[in-house]
PDB file of all heavy atoms in Angstrom:
ATOM      1  N   ARG A 186      69.540 104.241 249.784  1.00  0.00           N
ATOM      2  CA  ARG A 186      70.966 104.550 249.605  1.00  0.00           C
ATOM      3  C   ARG A 186      71.186 106.043 249.420  1.00  0.00           C
ATOM      4  O   ARG A 186      70.276 106.790 249.034  1.00  0.00           O
ATOM      5  CB  ARG A 186      71.558 103.809 248.406  1.00  0.00           C
ATOM      6  CG  ARG A 186      70.966 104.207 247.040  1.00  0.00           C
ATOM      7  CD  ARG A 186      71.797 105.195 246.262  1.00  0.00           C
ATOM      8  NE  ARG A 186      71.135 105.653 245.049  1.00  0.00           N
ATOM      9  CZ  ARG A 186      70.387 106.732 244.986  1.00  0.00           C
ATOM     10  NH1 ARG A 186      70.185 107.478 246.045  1.00  0.00           N
ATOM     11  NH2 ARG A 186      69.827 107.107 243.840  1.00  0.00           N
ATOM     12  N   ASN A 188      74.129 108.243 247.288  1.00  0.00           N
ATOM     13  CA  ASN A 188      75.297 108.083 246.428  1.00  0.00           C
ATOM     14  C   ASN A 188      76.294 109.187 246.771  1.00  0.00           C
ATOM     15  O   ASN A 188      75.982 110.366 246.653  1.00  0.00           O
ATOM     16  CB  ASN A 188      74.881 108.163 244.954  1.00  0.00           C
ATOM     17  CG  ASN A 188      76.026 107.802 244.034  1.00  0.00           C
ATOM     18  OD1 ASN A 188      76.974 107.132 244.454  1.00  0.00           O
ATOM     19  ND2 ASN A 188      75.952 108.221 242.782  1.00  0.00           N
ATOM     20  N   GLY A 191      79.521 109.806 241.728  1.00  0.00           N
ATOM     21  CA  GLY A 191      79.341 108.900 240.589  1.00  0.00           C
ATOM     22  C   GLY A 191      77.894 108.962 240.143  1.00  0.00           C
ATOM     23  O   GLY A 191      77.160 107.990 240.210  1.00  0.00           O
ATOM     24  N   GLU A 192      77.497 110.177 239.669  1.00  0.00           N
ATOM     25  CA  GLU A 192      76.077 110.374 239.334  1.00  0.00           C
ATOM     26  C   GLU A 192      75.854 110.335 237.831  1.00  0.00           C
ATOM     27  O   GLU A 192      76.590 110.961 237.076  1.00  0.00           O
ATOM     28  CB  GLU A 192      75.634 111.725 239.909  1.00  0.00           C
ATOM     29  CG  GLU A 192      74.237 111.708 240.457  1.00  0.00           C
ATOM     30  CD  GLU A 192      74.092 110.761 241.643  1.00  0.00           C
ATOM     31  OE1 GLU A 192      74.426 111.160 242.771  1.00  0.00           O
ATOM     32  OE2 GLU A 192      73.643 109.618 241.426  1.00  0.00           O
ATOM     33  N   HIS A 193      74.839 109.592 237.449  1.00  0.00           N
ATOM     34  CA  HIS A 193      74.496 109.392 236.037  1.00  0.00           C
ATOM     35  C   HIS A 193      75.663 108.762 235.283  1.00  0.00           C
ATOM     36  O   HIS A 193      75.881 109.031 234.103  1.00  0.00           O
ATOM     37  CB  HIS A 193      74.045 110.713 235.380  1.00  0.00           C
ATOM     38  CG  HIS A 193      72.706 111.158 235.886  1.00  0.00           C
ATOM     39  ND1 HIS A 193      71.519 110.666 235.395  1.00  0.00           N
ATOM     40  CD2 HIS A 193      72.359 112.010 236.894  1.00  0.00           C
ATOM     41  CE1 HIS A 193      70.499 111.223 236.042  1.00  0.00           C
ATOM     42  NE2 HIS A 193      70.989 112.026 236.969  1.00  0.00           N
ATOM     43  N   ASP A 195      76.151 105.236 235.953  1.00  0.00           N
ATOM     44  CA  ASP A 195      75.917 103.778 235.928  1.00  0.00           C
ATOM     45  C   ASP A 195      75.462 103.281 234.562  1.00  0.00           C
ATOM     46  O   ASP A 195      75.940 102.251 234.087  1.00  0.00           O
ATOM     47  CB  ASP A 195      74.979 103.313 237.070  1.00  0.00           C
ATOM     48  CG  ASP A 195      73.594 103.934 237.089  1.00  0.00           C
ATOM     49  OD1 ASP A 195      73.324 104.859 236.302  1.00  0.00           O
ATOM     50  OD2 ASP A 195      72.767 103.478 237.910  1.00  0.00           O
ATOM     51  N   TYR A 196      74.598 104.059 233.892  1.00  0.00           N
ATOM     52  CA  TYR A 196      74.140 103.611 232.570  1.00  0.00           C
ATOM     53  C   TYR A 196      75.128 103.997 231.460  1.00  0.00           C
ATOM     54  O   TYR A 196      74.841 103.825 230.280  1.00  0.00           O
ATOM     55  CB  TYR A 196      72.718 104.130 232.274  1.00  0.00           C
ATOM     56  CG  TYR A 196      72.534 105.614 232.455  1.00  0.00           C
ATOM     57  CD1 TYR A 196      72.881 106.508 231.458  1.00  0.00           C
ATOM     58  CD2 TYR A 196      72.016 106.117 233.649  1.00  0.00           C
ATOM     59  CE1 TYR A 196      72.705 107.870 231.620  1.00  0.00           C
ATOM     60  CE2 TYR A 196      71.839 107.486 233.830  1.00  0.00           C
ATOM     61  CZ  TYR A 196      72.179 108.354 232.813  1.00  0.00           C
ATOM     62  OH  TYR A 196      72.010 109.702 232.991  1.00  0.00           O
ATOM     63  N   CYS A 327      66.197 102.890 234.667  1.00  0.00           N
ATOM     64  CA  CYS A 327      67.305 103.200 235.585  1.00  0.00           C
ATOM     65  C   CYS A 327      68.530 102.342 235.297  1.00  0.00           C
ATOM     66  O   CYS A 327      68.450 101.316 234.616  1.00  0.00           O
ATOM     67  CB  CYS A 327      66.850 102.972 237.024  1.00  0.00           C
ATOM     68  SG  CYS A 327      66.427 101.260 237.361  1.00  0.00           S
ATOM     69  N   GLY A 328      69.661 102.766 235.852  1.00  0.00           N
ATOM     70  CA  GLY A 328      70.881 101.961 235.788  1.00  0.00           C
ATOM     71  C   GLY A 328      70.853 100.913 236.902  1.00  0.00           C
ATOM     72  O   GLY A 328      69.783 100.598 237.436  1.00  0.00           O
ATOM     73  N   ILE A 329      72.049 100.424 237.278  1.00  0.00           N
ATOM     74  CA  ILE A 329      72.056  99.304 238.229  1.00  0.00           C
ATOM     75  C   ILE A 329      72.456  99.709 239.650  1.00  0.00           C
ATOM     76  O   ILE A 329      72.448  98.881 240.552  1.00  0.00           O
ATOM     77  CB  ILE A 329      72.994  98.166 237.751  1.00  0.00           C
ATOM     78  CG1 ILE A 329      74.443  98.658 237.625  1.00  0.00           C
ATOM     79  CG2 ILE A 329      72.487  97.573 236.452  1.00  0.00           C
ATOM     80  CD1 ILE A 329      75.422  97.547 237.275  1.00  0.00           C
ATOM     81  N   MET A 330      72.784 101.000 239.828  1.00  0.00           N
ATOM     82  CA  MET A 330      73.345 101.397 241.119  1.00  0.00           C
ATOM     83  C   MET A 330      72.432 101.114 242.317  1.00  0.00           C
ATOM     84  O   MET A 330      72.870 100.510 243.306  1.00  0.00           O
ATOM     85  CB  MET A 330      73.670 102.891 241.099  1.00  0.00           C
ATOM     86  CG  MET A 330      73.975 103.455 242.476  1.00  0.00           C
ATOM     87  SD  MET A 330      74.663 105.086 242.419  1.00  0.00           S
ATOM     88  CE  MET A 330      73.309 106.075 241.845  1.00  0.00           C
ATOM     89  N   ASP A 331      71.194 101.563 242.239  1.00  0.00           N
ATOM     90  CA  ASP A 331      70.344 101.574 243.433  1.00  0.00           C
ATOM     91  C   ASP A 331      70.036 100.174 243.946  1.00  0.00           C
ATOM     92  O   ASP A 331      70.109  99.898 245.147  1.00  0.00           O
ATOM     93  CB  ASP A 331      69.034 102.328 243.133  1.00  0.00           C
ATOM     94  CG  ASP A 331      69.301 103.739 242.638  1.00  0.00           C
ATOM     95  OD1 ASP A 331      70.449 104.202 242.744  1.00  0.00           O
ATOM     96  OD2 ASP A 331      68.362 104.383 242.138  1.00  0.00           O
ATOM     97  N   LEU A 376      61.495 110.677 238.475  1.00  0.00           N
ATOM     98  CA  LEU A 376      62.366 110.174 237.407  1.00  0.00           C
ATOM     99  C   LEU A 376      61.571 109.780 236.165  1.00  0.00           C
ATOM    100  O   LEU A 376      62.101 109.732 235.069  1.00  0.00           O
ATOM    101  CB  LEU A 376      63.140 108.949 237.887  1.00  0.00           C
ATOM    102  CG  LEU A 376      64.371 109.218 238.748  1.00  0.00           C
ATOM    103  CD1 LEU A 376      65.083 107.929 239.033  1.00  0.00           C
ATOM    104  CD2 LEU A 376      65.306 110.196 238.092  1.00  0.00           C
ATOM    105  N   TYR A 381      65.110 111.817 232.552  1.00  0.00           N
ATOM    106  CA  TYR A 381      66.120 110.777 232.782  1.00  0.00           C
ATOM    107  C   TYR A 381      66.395 110.020 231.473  1.00  0.00           C
ATOM    108  O   TYR A 381      67.542 109.850 231.064  1.00  0.00           O
ATOM    109  CB  TYR A 381      65.620 109.824 233.880  1.00  0.00           C
ATOM    110  CG  TYR A 381      66.623 108.789 234.322  1.00  0.00           C
ATOM    111  CD1 TYR A 381      67.547 109.062 235.318  1.00  0.00           C
ATOM    112  CD2 TYR A 381      66.646 107.525 233.738  1.00  0.00           C
ATOM    113  CE1 TYR A 381      68.464 108.113 235.735  1.00  0.00           C
ATOM    114  CE2 TYR A 381      67.553 106.566 234.150  1.00  0.00           C
ATOM    115  CZ  TYR A 381      68.454 106.859 235.149  1.00  0.00           C
ATOM    116  OH  TYR A 381      69.372 105.900 235.550  1.00  0.00           O
ATOM    117  N   GLY A 493      71.697 111.256 243.649  1.00  0.00           N
ATOM    118  CA  GLY A 493      70.578 110.569 242.990  1.00  0.00           C
ATOM    119  C   GLY A 493      70.272 111.175 241.631  1.00  0.00           C
ATOM    120  O   GLY A 493      71.072 111.943 241.079  1.00  0.00           O
ATOM    121  N   GLY A 494      69.101 110.868 241.130  1.00  0.00           N
ATOM    122  CA  GLY A 494      68.734 111.264 239.772  1.00  0.00           C
ATOM    123  C   GLY A 494      68.658 112.769 239.559  1.00  0.00           C
ATOM    124  O   GLY A 494      68.947 113.269 238.488  1.00  0.00           O
TER     125      GLY A 494
HETATM  126  C1  GAF B 643      68.590 107.084 239.622  1.00  0.00           C
HETATM  127  C2  GAF B 643      68.756 105.774 238.871  1.00  0.00           C
HETATM  128  F1  GAF B 643      67.857 104.848 239.333  1.00  0.00           F
HETATM  129  C3  GAF B 643      70.175 105.235 239.015  1.00  0.00           C
HETATM  130  O1  GAF B 643      70.332 104.079 238.234  1.00  0.00           O
HETATM  131  C4  GAF B 643      71.207 106.305 238.624  1.00  0.00           C
HETATM  132  O2  GAF B 643      71.263 106.455 237.229  1.00  0.00           O
HETATM  133  C5  GAF B 643      70.903 107.628 239.327  1.00  0.00           C
HETATM  134  O3  GAF B 643      69.552 108.021 239.139  1.00  0.00           O
HETATM  135  C6  GAF B 643      71.790 108.739 238.834  1.00  0.00           C
HETATM  136  O4  GAF B 643      73.113 108.472 239.183  1.00  0.00           O
HETATM  137  O5  GAF B 643      68.736 106.878 241.002  1.00  0.00           O
END
Side-chain angles (χ1 to χ4, degrees):
R186 64 99 186 93
N188 188 21
E192 218 64 83
H193 290 278
D195 59 353
Y196 52 83
C327 63
I329 61 175
M330 168 168 69
D331 304 348
L376 280 185
Y381 186 87

